[in-house]
Amino acid sequence: MPFTPSAHIHGHKLVELLGSWHGTARPSSQALAAALRQLALDGRLPPGTRLPAERDLADALGVSRTLVARTLDRLREEGFAASRRGAGSWVKLPDRERDNESHGGWFPAADSEVLNLAQATPSAPPELCAAVDQARLRFAEQLSGHGYQPHGLPELRERIAERYAKRGLPTNPDQILVTSGAQHGFALLLRMLVSPGERVLVEHPTYPNALEAIRGLNVAPVAVPMVEEGWDLELLAASLRQTSPRLAYLIPDFHNPTGIRLDADGRTRLARELARTCTTAVIDETLAEIDLTGDQAPLPMASFTDRALLVGSASKSFWGGLRLGWIRASEDFVQRAVVGRAAVDLGSPILEQLVLAELLRDADRLLERRRVESIERRDHLIAALREHLPHWRFRVPDGGLSLWCDIGAPVSSRLSVAAEQHGVRVAPGVRFSVHGSLERWMRVPYTLPGDQLEEAIRRLATASSSMPDGPGPTALTAPLA
């Protein structure tokens, strides 16, 4: 089915987005194509955006029309642009058959030589195979039925409810709705609670896919900046009062990407402000079980206010390939969500739910091993950064799976392009931004084995030192006094 271009970007705006894409080196179609490709993968050039005419783009960039033509040829070959006589050229993403090619950004790497630091997701635990074997024995019991479980399997809902009770939040299975991942759960809640043109309050930075879901409904995100210590609760309260958002999307449990956790006092203050402004909050608990502190965890946000809808996931604690998550809410709300779910899907896969139920039988042992592994990898990453990129600054996270690094200069998008050419994939800070800022920042996960992390950071340092027209080795790689 042909894709129809929708919006148009003017040459001067595209030049602004590209920044110093070629530096002091001689401009090339390869460098321009790489920069435009990265803008498409970052979401700053959405599919369907009509590009300026060749002559106009060449004039705006100060390059030859031949260079622009070659750039568009490259992008069309890679599946990142399409053209039609009389309609010009526009941005697209690779077709399905191209998905396994190595393009950077958030695309999973098929090339084993590319080290993927763009996704903060761990590999499957060794316990998974045994859980699959046990689930397969139980699977035959399900075959005589219709296979649709819009609430989720009762056994899995009971085990999820038990996990909440163990964390200090009494929960019964009727308060759990199993979803096809946390992102699916959040998208379902958005459809239920927010209408186009309304506002959703978010932290800044925040999880990129949540922003995509918000924008996909033509809803305006309201950004509340994080500070070095975490949440500026006074600013958050003021934003709630002044902007009257329909919903808030918050990550108080090892915030993605900063890894900070909101303490009990902060949760009490947040709950008070949500009640004062009658604001419902979706609380993303995707990383809640990846606690690296060993300290007593604060109670879940739903213990502090009944305005908190909790969204959890198996992806970070267990394995992303399970594609399972859940919503924890009141029984009445879960019933409403089941009705609303019918517009999206009719339930999550049965076999995967049986597997997750098996993993939850002895979750504490598995999660403790995952915690020890994450601490080792985090420390390995920190050591590699201090050796190869000693000027980068970061806060050692309380939990989660990544470091949020201040790289010292607003070059993270250009660095991500350069890093791809050196065989490492990274996510620039702009991906976590509401308004296209955060170019001084980069998220670096510690989900790869230690030797791969070491090699990835070595390649990243090489890429940073090779960037043209940047601060150069002094600002990006030289040790600070």
Side-chain angles (χ1 to χ4, degrees):
M1 180 178 178
F3 195 89
T4 303
S6 54
H8 181 269
I9 185 169
H10 294 286
H12 67 87
K13 180 61 178 177
L14 187 53
V15 170
E16 179 183 326
L17 288 176
L18 286 167
S20 300
W21 59 274
H22 64 83
T24 57
R26 183 178 178 181
S28 69
S29 60
Q30 180 180 1
L32 180 56
L36 289 169
R37 182 170 63 239
Q38 192 63 46
L39 289 176
L41 290 170
D42 286 347
R44 287 179 287 169
L45 280 181
T49 302
R50 192 192 303 271
L51 295 169
E54 289 182 8
R55 187 184 303 277
D56 293 340
L57 183 54
D59 290 344
L61 290 170
V63 299
S64 70
R65 185 172 176 179
T66 301
L67 186 147
V68 171
R70 288 175 180 169
T71 297
L72 293 175
D73 286 342
R74 285 178 177 271
L75 292 174
R76 282 190 290 266
E77 290 173 3
E78 296 172 350
F80 281 89
S83 302
R84 188 170 61 236
R85 185 178 297 276
S89 300
W90 60 91
V91 177
K92 66 187 291 290
L93 291 180
D95 298 328
R96 187 177 301 274
E97 59 268 23
R98 296 177 180 259
D99 283 352
N100 288 329
E101 297 182 14
S102 176
H103 290 302
W106 292 91
F107 283 60
D111 184 352
S112 60
E113 295 300 315
V114 176
L115 296 171
N116 189 1
L117 294 181
Q119 292 171 302
T121 52
S123 58
E127 293 88 348
L128 181 62
C129 289
V132 171
D133 289 341
Q134 290 298 318
R136 187 171 52 188
L137 298 176
R138 300 282 313 282
F139 190 51
E141 303 170 6
Q142 304 292 326
L143 299 181
S144 60
H146 50 66
Y148 293 102
Q149 294 280 357
H151 288 82
L153 281 179
E155 177 183 353
L156 177 56
R157 294 162 62 207
E158 182 176 348
R159 299 237 165 104
I160 294 171
E162 289 171 356
R163 291 300 300 174
Y164 277 115
K166 195 161 190 174
R167 292 173 57 198
L169 178 62
T171 302
N172 69 65
D174 291 333
Q175 292 179 268
I176 301 297
L177 172 65
V178 177
T179 62
S180 299
Q183 181 72 5
H184 171 231
F186 177 53
L188 179 60
L189 293 174
L190 277 176
R191 286 175 58 93
M192 292 178 61
L193 299 173
V194 185
S195 299
E198 293 184 316
R199 301 182 181 93
V200 174
L201 183 141
V202 299
E203 298 131 335
H204 190 245
T206 192
Y207 180 53
N209 292 335
L211 288 176
E212 290 300 316
I214 291 168
R215 291 170 177 144
L217 286 181
N218 293 318
V219 173
V222 176
V224 179
M226 300 280 285
V227 294
E228 186 174 353
E229 298 77 20
W231 290 261
D232 185 336
L233 292 174
E234 290 185 7
L235 179 59
L236 193 151
S239 298
L240 287 172
R241 293 192 299 269
Q242 294 166 10
T243 65
S244 301
R246 183 69 180 86
L247 194 71
Y249 168 77
L250 303 170
I251 316 174
D253 294 282
F254 312 123
H255 173 261
N256 188 358
T258 67
I260 303 174
R261 177 165 62 186
L262 184 62
D263 62 19
D265 289 342
R267 293 172 193 237
T268 299
R269 292 177 60 190
L270 174 58
R272 185 166 58 244
E273 294 303 330
L274 292 172
R276 184 174 298 168
T277 56
C278 299
T279 305
T280 298
V282 174
I283 303 299
D284 188 336
E285 291 198 321
T286 301
L287 294 164
E289 299 272 26
I290 313 297
D291 185 348
L292 308 184
T293 66
D295 298 337
Q296 178 66 38
L299 295 173
M301 269 303 301
S303 298
F304 296 84
T305 173
D306 58 5
R307 291 191 169 276
L309 305 172
L310 308 184
V311 175
S313 173
S315 296
K316 310 295 187 180
S317 303
F318 300 102
W319 187 47
L322 291 172
R323 300 311 314 130
L324 290 175
W326 53 86
I327 296 170
R328 191 272 182 197
S330 67
E331 294 181 26
D332 289 344
F333 189 92
V334 167
Q335 291 300 323
R336 288 172 51 203
V338 170
V339 174
R341 179 177 193 166
V344 181
D345 72 348
L346 299 178
S348 301
I350 297 297
L351 181 58
E352 283 82 347
Q353 292 188 68
L354 289 170
V355 172
L356 181 56
E358 289 296 327
L359 290 171
L360 287 171
R361 282 184 184 274
D362 192 13
D364 286 340
R365 183 173 60 85
L366 187 157
L367 291 171
E368 175 58 22
R369 190 187 56 76
R370 179 78 87 186
R371 186 182 79 86
V372 171
E373 177 185 79
S374 295
I375 291 173
E376 291 176 352
R377 293 182 175 183
R378 179 198 65 187
D379 294 347
H380 204 114
L381 174 60
I382 289 172
L385 286 171
R386 287 176 175 164
E387 177 181 356
H388 297 289
L389 292 163
H391 74 288
W392 283 24
R393 295 291 176 259
F394 49 84
R395 180 187 184 277
V396 177
D398 304 324
L401 295 168
S402 59
L403 299 181
W404 183 236
C405 299
D406 179 347
I407 66 176
V411 294
S412 67
S413 288
R414 288 200 293 123
L415 179 54
S416 68
V417 173
E420 181 80 17
Q421 297 169 0
H422 286 79
V424 60
R425 184 161 299 145
V426 287
V430 70
R431 282 304 306 264
F432 303 84
S433 170
V434 175
H435 303 300
S437 55
L438 301 176
E439 281 284 7
R440 286 180 59 94
W441 296 86
M442 182 169 285
R443 190 187 70 172
V444 185
Y446 40 84
T447 50
L448 297 178
D451 59 337
Q452 294 184 33
L453 286 173
E454 169 73 23
E455 176 62 18
I457 299 307
R458 188 192 64 77
R459 294 182 189 182
L460 194 57
T462 302
S464 69
S465 64
S466 68
M467 285 198 308
D469 196 33
T474 300
L476 285 179
T477 60
L480 297 179

